[in-house]
Amino acid sequence: MGETTIRADDEADPGTERTGDADPTRPPAPGGLPLLGNVHELASDALGFYERRAATHGGVVRYDVFGTESYLVTDPAAIRRILVDDHDRYEKGSMPRDQLGGLLGDGLFLAEGDDWREQRTAIRSAFFRERVAEYGGPMVDHARRAAASWDDGDVVDVHAAATEYAFDVLAESLLGSDVERERETVRAAAESVTERFDTRRLTSFLPVWVPTPANRRYRRRLAALRSTIRDLVAERRAAGPPANPGAADDLLGTLVAAADIGAMDDDRLVDNAVTFLFAGHETSALGLAYTLYCLADRPAFQDRVRREVAALDGDPEPADLRECPALTAAVDEALRLYPPVHSFFREPTEPVTLGGHRVPAGVVVTLSPWAVHRDERWWDDPETYRPERWLRDGPAGPAHGDDAPGPAVGERPEYAYFPFGGGPRHCIGMRFARQELRLATATLLRRLRLEPVTADLSVRASANTRPAEPVRVRVRTRDESLEETDPAVSE
Ligand code: HEM
């Protein structure tokens, strides 16, 4: 197609969207090497690649991976069409299934069509507001325990600590009182999953059937986890139905109740238990780690949050979160700047038009919260952590001076911010995660002050947005008077 010359022109002048294609509605495909396409750019810095593409080539841009066409969509209106208005013309497609199918099976995350719809309907109630509020207890308890394990002046890797925290919370929310007994099996499986999907290890790129020691461990431990879940299900059935099946007290109870009314078979039930454990804990851990890192880096705003949570009657309860706008802004802004899911994928099941461009059926469409959350068209000073932009009363201090906060949330397109995806397939754990991040942060900041140690956070695109290095903060447990730091005069 003579693309090399044309792409070179495009790089020189991004405004010239020549594609060398007879069809003018085909999206531009700048850059890229013959055969390899954009693999080199994606492999070295996928996040930067998405961000640059969005900034210079607009809302829908083509890229190639070893000759396979993909389309990066960063226009919020087009994202809304994909996720909401035309969601039934897309499926998740083969890419996530190839990568995660062996782990998540046919559970909610990977299911398609009617199978997905039935599962989602059956599981929904576990994430209703009042049910999620019941998980507030473990969310606060585990944060309290973490805080108690640190001494004044300790340097803590908040990514490691948050991973342990989020895992404990999810295991307990899933298994309830059975968690103590099964802790080791669940932990061993989690350790092997982390090892298996660690993109820094070359062996992670080998198929799971290749008998490397890590793969063998992974298969053995995952099988043990699945068999443990089956045993627990059998025990619960033997114990008889809960008095009120609509109010099972943990996620496994909801899944058992759903299976018992025929909404899913027992294989799906186990797939979903594994899905919740693994779709939910790394993402939440990253959200928490980035929130704590960002707050350590913005001491005046941290004090504003500390003041807010210190004013609560005791450790926070889910209902208190409504009274904590600064805390909520701190979390929402961390999820903007460092969305734990940097991108996710869809495949149109029929040809579609996006942003005026023709997109064929079956290609990979990439939606990138990372790129959209850092787009200057929607975000003022996008690379800076500025939780004030979420608050009606605007900036917290003179450092922002004339620099007014970004447009109010309602004034920017809805899909300029989508850390949890959107439409009918949005993250089912969103309410759980937002509650967890805020309860954990509040519980910690009622006891601790955080000081920055890691100066420049660098992140890499693995399956999720992972930190490239440990994320270190120093914890101060001595109760420094909050009155000393007035956010209106510091920073
Ligand atoms: C900050 C934390 C989290 C983030 C940023 C996040 C992000 C996302 C995103 C972007 C999607 C949509 C993917 C797509 O459309 O392809 C998703 C789906 C999903 N998430 Fe989360 N998630 C988080 C926490 C959780 C938690 C705590 C759970 C479970 C307890 C969970 C379970 C799921 C499941 C099961 C799906 C698939 C839903 C479906 O397809 O119907 N997530 N998540």
Side-chain angles (χ1 to χ4, degrees):
M1 295 200 296
E3 296 218 332
T4 317
T5 331
I6 291 154
R7 285 169 172 168
D9 283 356
D10 273 353
E11 285 302 346
D13 177 8
T16 319
E17 291 193 345
R18 287 169 51 197
T19 62
D21 215 302
D23 181 352
T25 68
R26 212 151 168 243
L33 301 169
L35 296 178
L36 288 180
N38 304 98
V39 170
H40 58 302
E41 295 166 274
L42 277 167
S44 61
D45 176 18
L47 300 178
F49 173 74
Y50 292 149
E51 213 177 321
R52 287 191 300 276
R53 289 272 138 147
T56 50
H57 296 287
V60 183
V61 62
R62 198 149 45 102
Y63 65 97
D64 278 359
V65 179
F66 292 128
T68 304
E69 275 190 354
S70 299
Y71 293 71
L72 173 67
V73 178
T74 55
D75 169 33
I79 293 170
R80 195 195 137 88
R81 275 191 65 189
I82 295 169
L83 294 178
V84 185
D85 309 321
D86 292 346
H87 72 93
D88 52 359
R89 301 171 78 189
Y90 295 83
E91 52 185 32
K92 284 211 169 177
S94 53
M95 191 140 82
R97 174 164 296 279
D98 291 347
Q99 286 170 357
L100 297 169
L103 176 65
L104 306 181
D106 292 314
L108 188 64
F109 197 91
L110 293 175
E112 305 274 16
D114 288 345
D115 179 24
W116 166 77
R117 229 178 309 279
E118 278 167 31
Q119 291 193 45
R120 180 107 186 181
T121 308
I123 296 172
R124 231 167 30 155
S125 67
F127 293 95
F128 286 167
R129 186 182 307 283
E130 56 285 5
R131 296 287 304 284
V132 170
E134 287 167 21
Y135 303 123
M139 290 171 180
V140 170
D141 285 349
H142 287 288
R144 216 184 270 143
R145 245 173 263 172
S149 70
W150 299 325
D151 290 325
D152 189 49
D154 279 357
V155 172
V156 174
D157 173 358
V158 285
H159 179 222
T163 302
E164 197 174 323
Y165 165 80
F167 179 76
D168 286 343
V169 168
L170 210 46
E172 193 166 332
S173 308
L174 182 70
L175 303 181
S177 53
D178 293 325
V179 72
E180 285 309 325
R181 200 162 35 115
E182 309 302 344
R183 189 178 295 278
E184 267 326 296
T185 314
V186 183
R187 259 193 190 286
E191 208 180 273
S192 276
V193 169
T194 310
E195 186 181 43
R196 160 87 197 125
F197 290 96
D198 183 351
T199 48
R200 284 169 306 184
R201 304 163 65 101
L202 280 181
T203 50
S204 299
F205 294 94
L206 293 171
V208 71
W209 51 262
V210 178
T212 61
N215 276 352
R216 280 210 301 267
R217 250 193 318 274
Y218 168 78
R219 289 208 308 261
R220 197 175 57 241
R221 290 176 174 181
L222 199 57
L225 175 66
R226 294 183 70 92
S227 129
T228 295
I229 294 170
R230 278 184 198 285
D231 291 347
L232 290 174
V233 169
E235 279 174 31
R236 289 182 186 212
R237 285 194 174 129
N244 176 1
D249 58 0
D250 57 29
L251 290 173
L252 190 63
T254 308
L255 295 174
V256 174
D260 288 349
I261 57 163
M264 65 182 81
D265 63 22
D266 279 7
D267 284 335
R268 293 267 195 302
L269 189 168
V270 179
D271 288 344
N272 273 314
V274 176
T275 292
F276 287 140
L277 205 53
F278 294 109
H281 96 267
E282 187 185 359
T283 42
S284 291
L286 290 166
L288 180 56
Y290 294 137
T291 301
L292 299 178
Y293 163 81
C294 290
L295 284 172
D297 207 41
R298 280 290 312 276
F301 200 85
Q302 184 190 154
D303 278 348
R304 182 167 173 177
V305 177
R306 288 176 67 218
R307 224 189 314 275
E308 195 175 81
V309 298
L312 298 173
D313 267 349
D315 272 331
E317 305 215 347
D320 296 327
L321 296 174
R322 278 194 294 270
E323 315 301 320
C324 297
L327 171 68
T328 301
V331 169
D332 288 346
E333 177 69 349
L335 295 178
R336 179 193 69 80
L337 192 57
Y338 299 109
V341 177
H342 55 80
S343 39
F344 55 94
F345 308 96
R346 289 291 187 274
E347 286 180 17
T349 52
E350 54 190 278
V352 291
T353 306
L354 286 173
H357 297 297
R358 181 174 59 78
V359 173
V363 297
V364 173
V365 172
T366 304
L367 306 169
S368 171
W370 176 277
V372 179
H373 290 186
R374 287 167 176 250
D375 189 325
E376 282 180 336
R377 281 171 300 173
W378 325 119
W379 303 98
D380 202 22
D381 195 10
E383 311 271 324
T384 303
Y385 179 73
R386 256 183 36 198
E388 298 85 351
R389 69 174 94 235
W390 298 95
L391 295 171
R392 292 202 185 288
D393 59 351
H400 300 289
D402 299 328
D403 185 12
V409 180
E411 290 167 28
R412 67 172 71 87
E414 190 185 356
Y415 279 83
Y417 182 73
F418 62 121
F420 294 99
R425 268 206 109 139
H426 76 274
C427 174
I428 199 168
M430 175 173 83
R431 185 174 280 138
F432 184 104
R434 291 190 77 238
Q435 174 179 298
E436 178 182 23
L437 298 188
R438 287 179 294 166
L439 289 180
T441 304
T443 306
L444 295 176
L445 291 190
R446 280 173 57 83
R447 294 163 171 80
L448 309 168
R449 195 161 46 81
L450 308 174
E451 294 173 353
V453 175
T454 294
D456 255 326
L457 179 66
S458 92
V459 295
R460 65 194 173 92
S462 193
N464 293 319
T465 314
R466 294 213 181 118
E469 309 282 342
V471 186
R472 297 200 172 91
V473 306
R474 178 169 286 106
V475 298
R476 292 292 176 197
T477 57
R478 298 221 188 91
D479 187 23
E480 297 222 350
S481 163
L482 281 166
E483 285 77 5
E484 278 172 22
T485 19
D486 178 351
V489 293
S490 59
E491 276 195 323

